[in-house]
Amino acid sequence: MCATCGCGDDGATVTAMNARATSRPDVSGHAHPHDHHHDQDHHHGHDHDHDHDHVHTETITLEQKVLAKNDLLAERNREWLAERHILAFNLTSSPGAGKTTLLERTIRDVSRDRPVAVIEGDQETLLDADRITAAGARAVQVNTGAGCHLDAAMVHRALQALEPEPDSILFIENVGNLVCPALFDLGEHSKVVIISVTEGDDKPLKYPHMFAAAGVVIVNKIDLLPYVAFDLEKCCAHVRSMNRGAEILPMSATTGDGSAGWYDWIDTQANSALSLRPVDKT
């Protein structure tokens, strides 16, 4: 069990979509707390106190160790990607906000200019990875079982299976969840948070850590605005109240409205990463 969020830790499955070869080694990167048994033979004929404050302390320590190990692995992923000039984005959202639909459109439009690869994260099934490969991108599927997020160890294994091309864009579609993915660095260049207008416009206030970590916030499904009670201006104000640096992009992944702003943002990130590359003096 994950000490940070309490989700199940059964080991992730990484499936390469070209061969669909599946393996199940222990890749969680999570620490496992030891069982704490009380002596069943002691007598209750006298008053005594049970002080369990140490359990809280151990939980904090364990969480710190889990995140520290993940951050170390994430930095290795980041170095691996940088060496190959691969620009990685970590896509997060609630279930049903439209991450996969956004990726399908993005692959069709962006892959004309540069290679695109995708790491798909879901608890079960290969459905989304099938959609990605049908859209024209190479993909691997990471099934987390009972896990509610991807971690750096899972992404490391997925990178070895996927082997994205140098100078490509890598999209990591995280498990649908706005809580735990905010805590786990995967080695990405930036986090992309997607909210749809079918959700409440107060969602940024309810999940502040995720929106504070975002490099860009996409407000998706704007084609449905006439039919839902969603205040776009209020939602944008909530995002800016906790993250002044994040760009906010209203769009519809289904119709394509507003997608130009999304592609411009990707180009800006690519140009920024390019300017940070060391100059080859040979």
Side-chain angles (χ1 to χ4, degrees):
M1 179 174 288
C2 172
T4 302
C5 63
C7 68
D9 184 17
D10 301 325
T13 300
V14 177
T15 303
M17 295 307 293
N18 54 349
R20 291 200 174 180
T22 304
S23 57
R24 284 186 177 270
D26 182 9
V27 298
S28 64
H30 294 154
H32 298 270
H34 62 276
D35 292 329
H36 185 76
H37 298 288
H38 288 287
D39 185 355
Q40 300 300 317
D41 294 327
H42 68 283
H43 300 286
H44 290 275
H46 59 278
D47 294 332
H48 57 277
D49 295 326
H50 286 284
D51 185 355
H52 289 286
D53 289 343
H54 69 284
V55 175
H56 179 66
T57 303
E58 288 296 316
T59 301
I60 293 174
T61 301
L62 186 54
E63 178 178 334
Q64 290 173 342
K65 289 179 179 178
V66 169
L67 293 178
K69 181 174 181 179
N70 182 82
D71 289 346
L72 177 61
L73 293 172
E75 202 55 43
R76 292 175 183 171
N77 289 344
R78 188 171 287 108
E79 292 171 359
W80 189 94
L81 293 164
E83 289 170 358
R84 293 158 179 78
H85 304 155
I86 299 169
L87 191 64
F89 299 112
N90 180 5
L91 274 61
T92 65
S93 78
S94 299
K99 293 191 302 300
T100 309
T101 301
L102 174 66
L103 279 179
E104 288 174 311
R105 176 171 292 277
T106 302
I107 290 163
R108 289 193 295 267
D109 293 343
V110 171
S111 60
R112 303 168 187 168
D113 302 317
R114 53 171 70 90
V116 176
V118 178
I119 295 173
E120 271 292 336
D122 272 310
Q123 289 188 321
E124 296 293 346
T125 81
L126 305 176
L127 296 175
D128 284 353
D130 285 335
R131 289 172 60 182
I132 293 302
T133 54
R138 295 175 56 246
V140 296
Q141 178 77 53
V142 179
N143 290 131
T144 62
C148 60
H149 60 273
L150 297 178
D151 63 26
M154 297 174 193
V155 170
H156 171 76
R157 278 188 56 213
L159 287 172
Q160 307 313 305
L162 182 60
E163 296 185 348
E165 296 180 44
D167 297 300
S168 64
I169 294 179
L170 172 69
F171 292 107
I172 305 168
E173 183 175 351
N174 220 312
V175 179
N177 178 9
L178 285 176
V179 182
C180 295
L183 301 175
F184 285 83
D185 183 7
L186 306 180
E188 71 271 15
H189 175 78
S190 184
K191 281 185 172 65
V192 178
V193 178
I194 302 157
I195 179 176
S196 70
V197 302
T198 54
E199 304 170 66
D201 50 36
D202 59 354
K203 187 66 74 74
L205 299 179
K206 295 181 177 180
Y207 301 92
H209 298 292
M210 179 56 76
F211 285 89
V216 62
V217 175
I218 292 177
V219 184
N220 192 26
K221 304 186 183 182
I222 59 171
D223 52 307
L224 299 180
L225 276 173
Y227 312 105
V228 295
F230 184 94
D231 190 323
L232 181 58
E233 291 186 7
K234 184 182 293 185
C235 178
C236 293
H238 291 330
V239 173
R240 293 190 181 100
S241 70
M242 62 193 67
N243 187 343
R244 293 182 179 274
E247 190 156 353
I248 304 173
L249 303 174
M251 68 172 291
S252 169
T254 299
T255 67
D257 291 346
S259 58
W262 163 232
Y263 302 148
D264 288 344
W265 183 85
I266 293 174
D267 288 339
T268 299
Q269 300 307 304
N271 292 334
S272 175
L274 181 63
S275 68
L276 296 176
R277 292 184 189 176
V279 178
D280 187 355
K281 298 181 179 180
T282 59

